[in-house]
Amino acid sequence: MEHSSGSPHKEPQNLSSYIGPLDSGRENLGTEIPVSVYRLLEYSLREELAERLGQEEQISIFRGAGYRAGVFFAEHFLDLTLEFSDFIAQLQRRLEELRSCTNRRRHAS
């Protein structure tokens, strides 16, 4: 099954242009999407990639995507000039802030 992703002449977008402001959620879906919806997408992608390309390639793609996500997070949400211990402390705070934000949204609905 093949799907068109839009006009073939459209400029390719990068991760930054897809992500946009993280606190506004997805324009068409809002900020209240349950984790189960994202898991459904993730595992269906894993299954599709493994069927089409083999499990080793699927794993390689997911590792590359995870690395890309980590770099994006670090470059946009962390001070990379900090000493290692301060960097780790900041990383822990940022991850806790994200968890707290998610929990507040979940309890507000």
Side-chain angles (χ1 to χ4, degrees):
M1 175 187 314
E2 292 193 25
H3 298 279
S4 173
S5 61
S7 170
H9 303 292
K10 194 174 185 179
E11 286 292 317
Q13 293 188 320
N14 61 23
L15 189 56
S16 292
S17 62
Y18 281 116
I19 296 294
L22 292 176
D23 59 348
S24 65
R26 300 284 310 253
E27 291 175 9
N28 58 339
L29 300 175
T31 59
E32 307 289 329
I33 301 302
V35 171
S36 59
V37 173
Y38 288 105
R39 285 185 180 158
L40 179 62
L41 175 61
E42 176 187 349
Y43 289 108
S44 64
L45 279 170
R46 282 178 184 239
E47 195 171 291
E48 187 70 22
L49 288 169
E51 286 177 9
R52 290 183 185 209
L53 305 172
Q55 188 170 4
E56 285 185 32
E57 188 64 19
Q58 174 266 309
I59 290 169
S60 175
I61 290 169
F62 267 69
R63 282 185 180 149
Y67 178 82
R68 186 180 299 244
V71 168
F72 180 90
F73 183 83
E75 289 177 348
H76 290 84
F77 297 101
L78 302 173
D79 180 353
L80 301 177
T81 65
L82 295 174
E83 294 294 325
F84 184 73
S85 61
D86 293 332
F87 174 81
I88 295 301
Q90 178 193 44
L91 173 60
Q92 289 173 329
R93 283 192 308 275
R94 293 286 188 260
L95 292 174
E96 185 58 39
E97 288 168 7
L98 288 173
R99 182 190 316 173
S100 296
C101 182
T102 301
N103 287 338
R104 279 194 302 272
R105 285 184 185 148
R106 189 177 303 136
H107 294 301
S109 55

